[in-house]
Amino acid sequence: MKKTILILCVIFFTAAFIQAQNAAGIRTIINHYAARNFLPLPVSQSDLDQIIRAGVNAPSARNAQPWHFTIVQNAELARRIISGVTDGNVLIVISAAGDSRTNIPEILDCALAAQSIYLAAQALGLGSRIYTAPVAAVNRDLKNALSLPRDHSVVVIVRIGRVEQVDAASAASSRKAPDSIVTYKK
Ligand SMILES: Cc1cc2nc3c(=O)[nH]c(=O)nc-3n(C[C@H](O)[C@H](O)[C@H](O)COP(=O)(O)O)c2cc1C
């Protein structure tokens, strides 16, 4: 009898734990925000490993996985990509072969990898922000400095860093009301 109760307790708490984990996952996806204020503190290698794993595991059309991830931890190089970037921030530069302005499948795949990286960082309690504004200048001036794979162009950059907690400046801006952009066809 005692054994049965123990087994039931283990099953109950395992189920509750899994449900709590799942709830945390959906919370990260819904409540993300693009960080503005980063702290000048390093990102740990174990966090970075998990964030990179999230990017590497992203879905892609025909599972082509066309991307390359260049992890910029050098502060001087990072500042050439995003001026004024905070010390300790890591830039994950996502590139693919061809022209990153016109290769739609590669752009979509790299965008999904960027989203996975962006959300993984926030799931770990870090701040993150996606960037495309610097891409043209990086492709023009910094391909060699980044040692990109041959024929690759940068598609998107994700900035990762330590943050305090969500402050007024960093909190997510408002979104369109679902009613105005969602149509059900039943
Ligand atoms: C494809 C893409 C490109 C972006 N490029 C930049 C950028 O170049 N510079 C920047 O400061 N933020 C950039 N952002 C961040 C957006 O401005 C931000 O995600 C959006 O305003 C929503 O922010 P919130 O979630 O904090 O409300 C980009 C976001 C996306 C998805």
Side-chain angles (χ1 to χ4, degrees), residues 121-144:
Q122 297 192 27
L124 291 168
L126 297 166
S128 55
R129 189 176 190 96
I130 296 169
Y131 286 79
T132 52
V135 163
V138 171
N139 280 328
R140 193 185 58 228
D141 302 331
L142 295 176
K143 277 188 181 183
N144 282 343

Side-chain angles (χ1 to χ4, degrees), residues 14 33 60 76 126 136:
T14 304
Y33 67 97
S60 60
E76 193 201 328
L126 297 166

Side-chain angles (χ1 to χ4, degrees), residues 100-169:
S100 67
R101 292 164 303 178
T102 52
N103 289 356
I104 302 295
E106 286 80 2
I107 294 170
L108 284 174
D109 293 342
C110 290
L112 290 174
Q115 172 80 338
S116 292
I117 286 169
Y118 169 81
L119 291 176
Q122 297 192 27
L124 291 168
L126 297 166
S128 55
R129 189 176 190 96
I130 296 169
Y131 286 79
T132 52
V135 163
V138 171
N139 280 328
R140 193 185 58 228
D141 302 331
L142 295 176
K143 277 188 181 183
N144 282 343
L146 286 167
S147 310
L148 292 190
R150 223 168 92 83
D151 298 333
H152 268 225
S153 297
V154 175
V155 176
V156 59
I157 300 160
V158 190
R159 176 181 179 181
I160 309 291
R162 301 265 292 275
V163 284
E164 193 84 62
Q165 53 197 1
V166 185
D167 51 63

Side-chain angles (χ1 to χ4, degrees), residues 42-43 48 71-73 78 85-86 88-92 158-161:
V43 174
L48 195 51
I71 315 302
V72 178
Q73 291 176 296
V85 76
T86 312
N89 281 182
V90 178
L91 304 185
I92 302 185
V158 190
R159 176 181 179 181
I160 309 291

